[in-house]
Each structure stands twice: as structure tokens, then as C-alpha cells.
Amino acid sequence: MTSKLEQKETPQANGAVLPIVPGDCLAGPERGQRAEPADFLRPDGTGVEVVVLESRANAKGVREEDALLENGSQSNESDDTSTDRGPEPASPLKETSFSIGLQVLFPFLLAGFGTVAAGMVLDIVQHWDVFKYVTEVFILVPALLGLKGNLEMTLASRLSTAANIGQMDTPKELWKMITGNMALIQVQATVVGFLASIAAVVFGWIPDGHFSIDHAVLLCASSVATAFIASLVLGMIMIGVIIGSRKMGINPDNVATPIAASLGDLITLALLSGISWGLYKELESKAYVNPLVCAFFISLLPIWIVVAKRSSATREVLYSGWEPVIIAMAISSVGGLILDRTVSDPNFAGMAVFTPVINGVGGNLVAVQASRISTYLHMSGVPGDSPETAPRKCPSPCSTFFSSDVNSRSARVLFLLVVPGHLVFLYTISSMQGGHTTLTLIFIVFYMTAALLQVLILLYIADWMVHWMWGRDLDPDNFSIPYLTALGDLIGTGLLALSFHILWLIGDRDSDVGD
């Protein structure tokens, strides 16, 4: 009776039974010495058949999973090769609905209060001379507030993914990632701010047929300066948040994008109001100030381009990442045109305080979902791959909201945050006596309907868009969030304006709309 050499099989991440060439085998449990060909011969000198289980453990995948689970929900002992350990789980994200909601809740509320503050500011500054006589500034509001989606939230999503997959673990990698991304968003902010001012001039000129070169230069200088300064401040805040969340064992995808918006709307709107008001005051006596301001920020572009090109991670975005931010800016500008036409009507002046709130909440929630799905896909491979977890090019609403996978679970959690979140924000606005609207039951019903419909549409589009972009070899971190937040601005502003029009038509005088 002949005997066959056997090797004990151990569970591995990527198992396959392969024939082994004797010269390539390692002997015994020690696996430290190379087996000799004679060890694989029968006594009669003939060879034996040997099979082993391939042991290519996906160390990177283990590290990615552990990075997301450092809060204690999973052990970090990724080097454990015990035979008691089962196969690697199919999903790298093992968060419960409770843990997702708990991590998202605080930054969501913080971001929401930031949008409430921005709405209060807009409610005040809409009566300033610069907003009365240069009404195109209203068109700039959604476009520049949307920079948090075009730039800061994209930056947050990109850095969150990099942190989760271990690309920011060493000081050298961290510094390279920071400098490249900061330079990149300065380039994008300057260009997008300039194009937003052109869109504001065009959208303001088409309905009325009135054009003023002084007002056009004022819009350009205000937009470029606001975009540059706001992106610089918010970018630094984002980097600190992501580094801090990693050290605290929190998934950056859950907290980075809402915090990007917590102060984003307020800072951007305050800068836009202050800068445009100051430049408007100088318009009559020192007309040369506006073109000088615009030229100064544009002249810095070559410096930021050189710095951004030095990093391979940002070089690609510098060349190919313009389409989403420019199209998103155009979409947001359409929302700004709706805001301009609505708020300029005295009957709907109360809409100003609610616009940043509904747009900000919708954009924050969909950005969290898009960032999470993108990280989930990055752990399965690279853009263009088609693992089992990706991509669903045409998901059904049931699969988006009611399936058992982690992304559907997070969609349900985010959707359930809409009503309690908006109730808190509406109560805050009412307590601070903001706007020109009394919170009656019918007003709250219309407002909540608009908010729920907005977030429902956005979460479904995010599920489709992120997977679709992944299948087309596009990185969703760079391409999806600008489109989604811009659509949030357009849908939110449109639905809110429709709600105010319906309330006015049905004669809800108790709500004092436009009083």
C-alpha cells in the first residue's frame, strides 16, 4: 500500500488548490526551510502527488477592514493565522444601524445648526443694498454654498477613503496627501468661483436684458475671493477632522462630510455677504479695487497648479476632475436663479431663511451615503472592477432602502434622520424669530414633505450614480458628490419654492408667508 504526503489545510482569504512544484515548497510546520526533491519520492523512487491550499492572505484587505473597525466592534489582530479563524467576511463594513446612527447623529445636528445659522444670515443680508441693487448675488448663494459639495465634501470623501485603506499612515504619506489636496482645492475653488460669477451674470441678464460691467466685475471679485478663502479655511478643518477621527477609532466617512458642512454654509455666506458689501461700497469711489481683487486671486493659480501636480493622487484629479465641479456649479446656479426670482418677490421673502437648511441637510445626508458606498467599493478592488458587491447599474428602490446589505441599512438610517432633524432646526429658527413665517401645522406638513421627497430622491440617485461611475472606471470620491449636492440644491430649492407658492395660493394666512 502506497502512502501519500499530506499537508494540513488552513482557512485563507483567497483559497485555491494548486499543484506544487517540489522546488517551490516549504517543508513542515516551520515553513522556514526549503524542502528537497528527495522528500517527495516514494521508496521506489517514483514521485508523489502533492496538493496544498494557496495561502495568499489579502493583507491589504484585512488592514482596510480593521481600519474601519478600530472602535472595538472587531479585533485588529489581522496577523492571526489560527485554524479557528473562519473565512474572511464578505462585507468589509460591519456596522449596525445603531452604530451608524450614533456616529452620524452628532455631526448631522452640528451641520444642521450651521445651515440654520446660514439661513439666519441670509434672512438678514437679503435687505442689504448690495443684495437689493445687485440681485445676481442671490444666484451666487447656492453655487458658492455648493462648494462644500463640489470641493470640501469631495476632499473629505477622498481623504476618508485614503485614511481607511492605509494611505495616510506615515508622516510622509500624510504630508504629501495634505499639500497636494489643499493646492488642488485652491485651483478648483478659484476656477469654479470665476465661472459661477459668469453664470450669475448670464442668468441675471437673460430675464431682464440688463447688463452692467461694474456689477459683473463686482460679482467676479466677490465670488473668487469668497471661494478661495472659504475653501482654504474649510480644507484645513477637514484635514484635522479626518486625522482626529482616525485616532479616535471613528469611521471618517460617517463624520467628515457633515462636519465639512457644519461651518461651511455659515462661513461661505458670511464671507460672500461681507466681501460683496465691502466691494459694493468701494464701487463708486474706487472702481479699480474690484478688478485688482479678481486679478490677485487668479494670479495665484500657477503656484497651486505646480504644487498639486507634484502629488500623483491629485495630479489625476487636476487633469480629469473638472467636469463634475463645473456641471455641479451650473446646476446649483439654476437653483440660485429660482432663489433669486422667489426671494425678490415680497410675497416669498420668508423662503430665504429655510433655503440653506433644506439644501444643506439633503446635501449632507447624501454625501455621507455616497462616501460610504465609495469606500465600500474601494475595498473590493479598483474602479472598473466588477466584484460581487458592485456595481448595480439600475437598482430598484427596494434594493436601495430595504435590502440587508450595509449600504441599504445606512440609507434607512439617514432617511429616518430627516424628520427629527428638521423639526429641531425649524424649532430653532422659530425660537430665534428668524424669517417671516409662522410655523403652522400646514406649513410644517408641506415643508417636511418637500424635505423627505428631496432626501428620498437623492439617496436613490446616489445608489445608482456611485455604482454606475465605478463601473465606468471613474472614482466616485471625485465625481459623485459634486453632482449629488448640486442636485440637492436644485431639488431642495425647487420643492421649497413650490411649497411656498402652494401655501400662498391656498391662502394659508396664518403662516404669514411673505409678511
Side-chain angles (χ1 to χ4, degrees):
M1 180 176 61
T2 61
S3 62
K4 180 179 292 187
L5 180 64
E6 296 179 352
Q7 179 171 322
K8 183 179 181 181
E9 295 184 357
T10 58
Q12 299 294 342
N14 302 321
V17 176
L18 298 174
I20 297 298
V21 179
D24 292 334
C25 293
L26 296 177
E30 299 83 12
R31 302 182 64 85
Q33 57 183 351
R34 193 173 288 276
E36 297 298 328
D39 296 333
F40 296 92
L41 297 179
R42 295 189 179 96
D44 59 358
T46 60
V48 297
E49 179 184 0
V50 180
V51 294
V52 297
L53 188 66
E54 185 191 12
S55 58
R56 294 183 303 163
N58 188 351
K60 180 179 178 181
V62 174
R63 186 176 70 248
E64 291 169 355
E65 180 180 359
D66 292 338
L68 285 175
L69 303 172
E70 286 179 350
N71 57 3
S73 61
Q74 174 115 344
S75 171
N76 286 335
E77 297 176 357
S78 58
D79 294 328
D80 182 14
T81 58
S82 170
T83 56
D84 295 333
R85 183 178 178 182
E88 292 295 330
S91 171
L93 294 174
K94 297 189 177 309
E95 298 165 292
T96 64
S97 298
F98 178 77
S99 66
I100 294 172
L102 190 62
Q103 291 187 19
V104 172
L105 180 61
F106 176 73
F108 167 71
L109 292 176
L110 183 62
F113 286 123
T115 62
V116 169
M120 299 294 293
V121 171
L122 183 59
D123 186 51
I124 295 172
V125 302
Q126 67 174 323
H127 304 295
W128 289 8
D129 288 345
V130 64
F131 283 86
K132 285 183 178 179
Y133 301 113
V134 190
T135 59
E136 294 85 357
V137 178
F138 280 114
I139 302 177
L140 287 177
V141 171
L144 293 183
L145 296 189
L147 280 176
K148 72 179 185 301
N150 296 348
L151 304 181
E152 276 72 38
M153 284 188 176
T154 301
L155 171 67
S157 179
R158 191 162 57 238
L159 292 182
S160 294
T161 297
N164 280 327
I165 64 177
Q167 293 181 356
M168 297 173 62
D169 291 344
T170 66
K172 182 179 180 180
E173 291 176 332
L174 179 62
W175 176 249
K176 189 175 182 180
M177 191 70 67
I178 290 175
T179 55
N181 278 279
M182 287 299 294
L184 174 65
I185 65 171
Q186 295 312 309
V187 175
Q188 292 178 323
T190 303
V191 174
V192 171
F194 179 75
L195 294 178
S197 66
I198 295 178
V201 171
V202 172
F203 286 149
W205 168 71
I206 290 176
D208 299 332
H210 175 71
F211 176 79
S212 171
I213 186 64
D214 290 336
H215 289 180
V217 177
L218 168 66
L219 290 170
C220 178
S222 301
S223 181
V224 171
T226 299
F228 182 92
I229 298 173
S231 294
L232 180 64
V233 174
L234 294 174
M236 295 174 65
I237 294 174
M238 273 302 86
I239 291 170
V241 167
I242 291 173
I243 294 175
S245 63
R246 285 283 294 152
K247 291 183 177 180
M248 296 175 62
I250 297 174
N251 183 0
D253 285 313
N254 291 338
V255 299
T257 48
I259 292 180
S262 61
L263 296 176
D265 286 346
L266 179 59
I267 291 175
T268 303
L269 187 55
L271 285 171
L272 176 62
S273 304
I275 292 173
S276 60
W277 177 80
L279 294 177
Y280 182 77
K281 290 296 183 182
E282 300 292 336
L283 193 59
E284 294 183 2
S285 58
K286 300 176 182 178
Y288 60 87
V289 172
N290 287 332
L292 279 180
V293 170
C294 190
F296 170 75
F297 287 104
I298 293 178
S299 66
L300 295 176
L301 272 175
I303 299 175
W304 307 126
I305 291 175
V306 170
V307 176
K309 289 175 65 175
R310 294 174 60 185
S311 172
S312 59
T314 55
R315 188 185 305 119
E316 180 183 356
V317 183
L318 182 64
Y319 292 141
S320 63
W322 292 103
E323 178 184 342
V325 296
I326 292 175
I327 294 178
M329 178 273 302
I331 295 173
S332 294
S333 296
V334 176
L337 179 61
I338 297 174
L339 178 65
D340 180 28
R341 292 296 151 187
T342 306
V343 175
S344 298
D345 187 338
N347 291 320
F348 308 110
M351 178 178 163
V353 72
F354 300 104
T355 302
V357 179
I358 193 170
N359 291 348
V361 169
N364 297 342
L365 293 177
V366 75
V368 170
Q369 180 71 351
S371 181
R372 290 179 57 86
I373 298 175
S374 180
T375 296
Y376 184 79
L377 293 176
H378 273 90
M379 291 182 173
S380 304
V382 296
D385 287 350
S386 298
E388 294 181 359
T389 55
R392 290 174 294 156
K393 295 185 178 181
C394 188
S396 67
C398 290
S399 64
T400 300
F401 295 99
F402 301 108
S403 67
S404 59
D405 66 78
V406 67
N407 293 322
S408 179
R409 188 182 307 131
S410 63
R412 293 193 294 270
V413 171
L414 295 174
F415 183 75
L416 291 175
L417 288 175
V418 174
V419 171
H422 273 296
L423 286 176
V424 172
F425 305 144
L426 289 178
Y427 177 77
T428 303
I429 293 174
S430 177
S431 299
M432 299 176 66
Q433 299 180 348
H436 306 267
T437 303
T438 303
L439 299 184
T440 62
L441 178 61
I442 188 172
F443 173 81
I444 293 175
V445 169
F446 272 88
Y447 181 88
M448 287 299 175
T449 302
L452 287 170
L453 187 59
Q454 175 208 32
V455 174
L456 187 72
I457 294 172
L458 289 176
L459 290 176
Y460 176 75
I461 294 176
D463 191 28
W464 165 79
M465 181 177 290
V466 173
H467 288 94
W468 179 80
M469 288 181 171
W470 183 269
R472 291 178 60 88
D473 199 19
L474 299 174
D475 188 347
D477 281 328
N478 299 326
F479 289 88
S480 65
I481 292 181
Y483 289 119
L484 292 170
T485 54
L487 287 173
D489 291 341
L490 178 59
I491 296 172
T493 304
L495 290 175
L496 187 61
L498 179 62
S499 300
F500 268 77
H501 277 281
I502 294 175
L503 286 171
W504 183 75
L505 289 175
I506 65 178
D508 182 28
R509 301 308 178 187
D510 291 336
S511 64
D512 298 330
V513 174
D515 186 15

